[in-house]
Amino acid sequence: MSSNPKDTKPVVHIPVKNVNIHPAKGGKAEQYQPRDQIYVRKVEGFFQRLRQKMNFFFMAMFALLPWIQFNGHQAILFDIGEQRFNIFGLTLWPQDLTLFAWLLMFSAFLLFFITTFLGRVWCGYLCPQTVWTFIYIWFEEKIEGTANQRKKLDQQAMSKNKFFKKALKHFCWLIVALLTSLTFAGYFTPVDELFIDFFTFNASITVVLVVIFFTFCTYGNAGWMREIMCLHMCPYARFQSAMFDKDTLTVTYDFNRGENRGARGRKQDPKALGLGDCIDCNLCVQVCPTGIDIRNGLQYECINCGSCVDACDGVMDRMKYPRGLIRYTTEHDLEGKKVHLVRPKLIGYALILVVFASLMSYGIASRVPVALDIIRDRTELARENFDGEIENVYTLKILNKSQSDNTYKLSIKGIDNARWIGKQEIFIKAASVYTLPISIAIDPYDLDEYMTDITFVIELVNSDDDVYVEHASRFFNKR
């Protein structure tokens, strides 16, 4: 340990709230204390306007994407029953699972990269839990009033006015949850049929149960659980600290500038009173959707939404103090050290992102829009037909992975004088599978060995696209 006093850091005294657990009736201590309800106060400011615009943009995308048509079909449709995913001009099948793997790994490391650079901004600006929670809070403000009015309303005895406001609020919540659930289900089933069938009571029981389930999930998460999801159920809150470093931008209270806290008049000099810039108004706590006090230091509950930044900046403006007492900053910046925007961890994440993006792009570019699967007749590997030829039976499964109807030509190579018994030119509809039973026959005098390697070939007919797929198999002779 260094003996130089300059190397020691000042001790930060964090106030701790004492929690008294009163004995319950019967003399036993109460085992569970329910959480205090958080009445989020409305705040205006740059970061809230930014968050609202981002939320509106992505909400509009979420609501409109299922309705977009492309080449006569739903542009984005994850049809689990048919085991195919349509993404505009691209149709993905279970055979394309590696593309999903690259996409998931790319998304994970993109989240790591953003978190290392900007902290937990995903939670504050883009996470569906946060977005829907703020939507529900907006309904609360419009129907029940400000945070103080909502708190007083909850403390009142039940009356006609209170019942009406509560009923209207929950009705609006349920309508938003139902529309959210129907839109979400529209990504997995044709959305136009879904809405018509659901509201005309013609939807299947499976669809109805799925819609009802996600309706109450949305209603419960955004209306009732809210910060519980962020604090106790979301794993991201737990492992995010592993990605933080001293150059990560986080919402931070400038302790050296703000302390000591205390109330004062606008015209009073805080230095003469021995005070810092924090007037201890507690607005930063009142506007926080998770109910924390950012002045207690970095906490895993913080979702980096910037509400406390806007609230504090408004107070600083009224007090005619400089903005930024609470701000997006780094630990190095608060310590007066140089901030390193480009650092090894970020470079590592960026390189991994480039690798995964390249692999995913290569997979899409090299993807052939037709697949051929060959199933041999297992009951009899080879048989002799009436013409004295050796005959092998195969079942060909041809998958048209494109979004257009195509005609394909089939052939065989690797064996001379082979005779194809069955169709060699077939028409397959878009995104469908064609099953074709065929036989290959050959004169036994043309066979030198018991087993001969052969190759089935499928080509696209009458098209400018260069589609050529080979699939290896074997031809067996009779012993």
Side-chain angles (χ1 to χ4, degrees):
M1 182 178 291
S2 174
S3 60
N4 188 352
K6 295 182 179 180
D7 295 337
T8 61
K9 293 184 179 180
V11 177
V12 179
H13 296 283
I14 299 176
V16 179
K17 181 180 178 181
N18 293 323
V19 180
N20 296 320
I21 301 178
H22 302 286
K25 293 181 179 180
K28 293 183 179 181
E30 191 173 349
Q31 298 298 316
Y32 170 74
Q33 289 288 338
R35 69 186 177 103
D36 293 331
Q37 183 171 346
I38 298 175
Y39 297 90
V40 181
R41 180 168 177 165
K42 184 178 180 180
V43 60
E44 300 288 345
F46 171 78
F47 293 107
Q48 300 317 295
R49 290 192 296 270
L50 176 63
R51 178 185 56 77
Q52 290 166 5
K53 290 178 180 179
M54 292 179 67
N55 291 172
F56 179 81
F57 174 75
F58 286 104
M59 277 289 295
M61 283 185 58
F62 168 76
L64 296 177
L65 277 178
W67 296 96
I68 297 175
Q69 297 292 309
F70 185 85
N71 288 340
H73 60 82
Q74 189 169 321
I76 297 181
L77 178 62
F78 307 121
D79 195 334
I80 297 177
E82 295 294 331
Q83 296 185 352
R84 68 170 183 261
F85 293 174
N86 290 337
I87 306 175
F88 290 91
L90 181 67
T91 300
L92 301 178
W93 297 81
Q95 295 89 337
D96 302 310
L97 187 61
T98 52
L99 291 177
F100 286 102
W102 297 133
L103 177 61
L104 291 175
M105 286 187 282
F106 177 84
S107 301
F109 278 93
L110 179 61
L111 182 61
F112 300 160
F113 178 87
I114 293 174
T115 303
T116 302
F117 184 48
L118 297 174
R120 204 175 166 187
V121 292
W122 159 261
C123 296
Y125 290 84
L126 295 175
C127 177
Q129 175 68 21
T130 303
V131 174
W132 265 262
T133 295
F134 276 111
I135 291 174
Y136 276 35
I137 291 175
W138 182 86
F139 278 102
E140 281 187 339
E141 292 173 347
K142 296 300 180 183
I143 296 171
E144 297 182 355
T146 64
N148 288 332
Q149 291 172 333
R150 297 198 301 272
K151 188 173 183 179
K152 290 180 180 179
L153 182 67
D154 287 345
Q155 294 171 349
Q156 295 174 7
M158 183 58 67
S159 62
K160 290 182 179 180
N161 179 58
K162 180 176 179 178
F163 178 81
F164 173 77
K165 289 183 176 181
K166 292 292 183 182
L168 180 59
K169 179 185 74 173
H170 288 283
F171 174 76
C172 293
W173 283 2
L174 284 170
I175 292 298
V176 172
L178 177 61
L179 293 176
T180 300
S181 180
L182 284 169
T183 303
F184 179 73
Y187 282 88
F188 301 92
T189 188
V191 67
D192 49 353
E193 299 176 9
L194 171 66
F195 273 76
I196 294 173
D197 291 344
F198 185 84
F199 288 109
T200 57
F201 304 102
N202 291 319
S204 66
I205 185 64
T206 302
V207 171
V208 172
L209 289 177
V210 168
V211 170
I212 292 175
F213 173 76
F214 282 103
T215 296
F216 281 97
C217 282
T218 305
Y219 170 76
N221 289 346
W224 293 94
M225 301 188 72
R226 295 189 178 177
E227 77 283 354
I228 291 179
M229 294 293 295
C230 302
L231 304 185
H232 305 295
M233 302 181 72
C234 177
Y236 182 47
R238 300 295 176 176
F239 67 76
Q240 62 167 333
S241 59
M243 291 171 276
F244 283 11
D245 56 36
K246 293 189 175 183
D247 291 303
T248 299
L249 279 170
T250 57
V251 174
T252 309
Y253 167 69
D254 192 337
F255 179 87
N256 295 324
R257 176 184 158 188
E259 301 298 314
N260 292 313
R261 313 172 195 171
R264 81 294 303 270
R266 294 185 184 181
K267 297 182 179 180
Q268 290 180 294
D269 183 7
K271 293 183 179 180
L273 299 173
L275 299 174
D277 285 355
C278 179
I279 67 172
D280 204 19
C281 62
N282 279 330
L283 276 181
C284 55
V285 181
Q286 297 173 28
V287 300
C288 179
T290 59
I292 65 170
D293 189 342
I294 195 63
R295 296 171 297 180
N296 290 345
L298 180 63
Q299 300 151 73
Y300 78 90
E301 297 94 340
C302 178
I303 61 173
N304 264 27
C305 65
S307 296
C308 55
V309 177
D310 287 330
C312 188
D313 283 347
V315 173
M316 294 296 103
D317 290 343
R318 290 192 293 273
M319 296 298 295
K320 299 189 183 305
Y321 295 166
R323 287 188 167 199
L325 178 60
I326 300 176
R327 64 186 184 273
Y328 285 95
T329 188
T330 69
E331 187 175 343
H332 275 161
D333 182 54
L334 286 178
E335 295 173 353
K337 299 179 181 178
K338 182 180 179 181
V339 177
H340 301 87
L341 294 179
V342 180
R343 47 199 188 272
K345 186 186 290 188
L346 278 181
I347 295 174
Y349 285 143
L351 290 176
I352 294 174
L353 286 175
V354 171
V355 171
F356 286 147
S358 301
L359 290 171
M360 186 168 59
S361 301
Y362 174 77
I364 295 174
S366 61
R367 179 176 174 272
V368 180
V370 63
L372 175 62
D373 190 20
I374 301 174
I375 303 173
R376 290 190 55 87
D377 185 359
R378 297 297 182 184
T379 58
E380 189 176 14
L381 293 178
R383 67 190 181 192
E384 186 175 345
N385 60 22
F386 291 107
D387 296 326
E389 298 172 314
I390 303 300
E391 185 176 340
N392 284 198
V393 178
Y394 305 86
T395 299
L396 309 183
K397 288 185 176 291
I398 304 98
L399 171 60
N400 181 4
K401 299 164 71 174
S402 68
Q403 296 182 354
S404 59
D405 301 341
N406 291 319
T407 301
Y408 299 95
K409 180 182 178 181
L410 295 159
S411 59
I412 189 174
K413 66 179 185 178
I415 191 168
D416 296 329
N417 303 322
R419 186 165 63 94
W420 185 288
I421 303 172
K423 292 182 180 179
Q424 279 193 270
E425 195 167 295
I426 55 174
F427 174 80
I428 308 178
K429 291 185 177 181
S432 60
V433 180
Y434 190 97
T435 302
L436 176 66
I438 61 103
S439 297
I440 302 296
I442 190 170
D443 192 311
Y445 292 101
D446 292 328
L447 296 173
D448 298 328
E449 299 179 357
Y450 168 68
M451 183 180 66
T452 305
D453 292 331
I454 61 175
T455 302
F456 286 88
V457 179
I458 181 169
E459 301 174 87
L460 191 59
V461 179
N462 298 327
S463 175
D464 295 333
D465 295 333
D466 186 16
V467 175
Y468 184 89
V469 175
E470 295 183 349
H471 196 294
S473 187
R474 291 185 175 92
F475 187 92
F476 290 90
N477 193 2
K478 287 184 70 69
R479 288 190 181 273

